Amino acid sequence: MGLDQTVRDISEEISSRISAAAMGRGEWSDVCAGFTRAFPGSFAALLNQNFVRPEVSFAKVDGLEDQYLQSFVTHYSYVNPWRRFWEFASNGAICVSERDDPATKYKKSAFYNEWMRSIGDYDASIGLRLQVNDDYIIYLPVHFSVSLSEVYESRLEAVIANTRRSLTNAIQIASYLRDTSDYAAARSALVGRSNAIAFVVDRAGRLKDANHRAIDAFARARPVLNRQGSVRFLQPEITTWLGKLLHESPPDLTRKRVMNISEERWLISVNQLPVTMFSQLIRGQDQFLVQLTDLGSNGSCYDGDLLAEAYRITPAEIRLCRALSAGLLLNEAASCSGISYENARQKLKSIFRKTGVSNQSDLKLLLNSLA
């Protein structure tokens, strides 16, 4: 069998594995195994890395012990001297290390001495770089001994070039499924949010979807604005707070803050939506539900007149009830109502006594029944 036919056969086998993994009929580790089977003595990896955050959101390998993959993902991927190629090369670029950027250049680096020397004789490599979006890069490196370069280089480079289209198509399919799933998640998050200004943004604060109240607020430019697809608050301090919060967002982010505009008081709540995982290779985007509840609106939560008539609740106590029903903690409700924490505690005891409830959970149930 000629060299060209061997390259075609290997390329077709790996392309079929890529297609199977993309459609959920196979594993991405099988793609890596296709390379190591065709090129004995090598190891192959497939990774999706965000070089901005930074993070590695996906990693599969064949031919390398798991402990080395984990140490690469958690630490050495961030000090990898070849990251300049992975981060900045053109989409679809292929790097042949011995020709383009040999390992001998980095023998004094911590990456080489601490990681590459520990995994064995794999100084030569050929890798493919593909761009997912502005932040995430998928790369597929195959490592082997320098002693095998003369035998492997031209054939492996040809196989990677031949399978590049299959992997590109798989990324496009996964990206489409991710975008569709992300849109559905944003739509679902807005269901039942008609009592508040509610919208969904991504990590950069770009608007993904909004309910009718939010659209009306954007049109009025109060208390929140939409400027060329980016959300801004009438109070710049809140815009800065949200931007920092989204950028640094810890897992399962949940935050609340009160915004004061003249005589208006708004409760802002931010919750991270579950990340969609239609494809292991490409994770869903981080999306956040932002809600603004008017703490001074008489009709936003419940009938205050009915509460006063039924339980002889005072106006000051009604304001405290409204803040608590909007989701504020007692100390936050006290600050929002312009009273001390101790004063709020006494008013809450009075509300409990008048309504016959014994805790805040039961009070919220009562208030919801008067909505």
Side-chain angles (χ1 to χ4, degrees), residues 301-327:
C301 300
Y302 53 84
D303 190 332
D305 291 339
L306 181 59
L307 186 66
E309 181 180 349
Y311 298 103
R312 302 176 68 181
I313 301 295
T314 68
E317 292 169 344
I318 289 176
R319 286 193 294 272
L320 182 62
C321 286
R322 183 166 287 119
L324 293 172
S325 68

Side-chain angles (χ1 to χ4, degrees), residues 1-12 38 155 159:
M1 183 182 294
L3 179 61
D4 289 345
Q5 185 61 47
T6 300
V7 168
R8 283 196 294 269
D9 290 345
I10 296 172
S11 302
E12 289 175 4
R155 186 168 52 166
V159 169

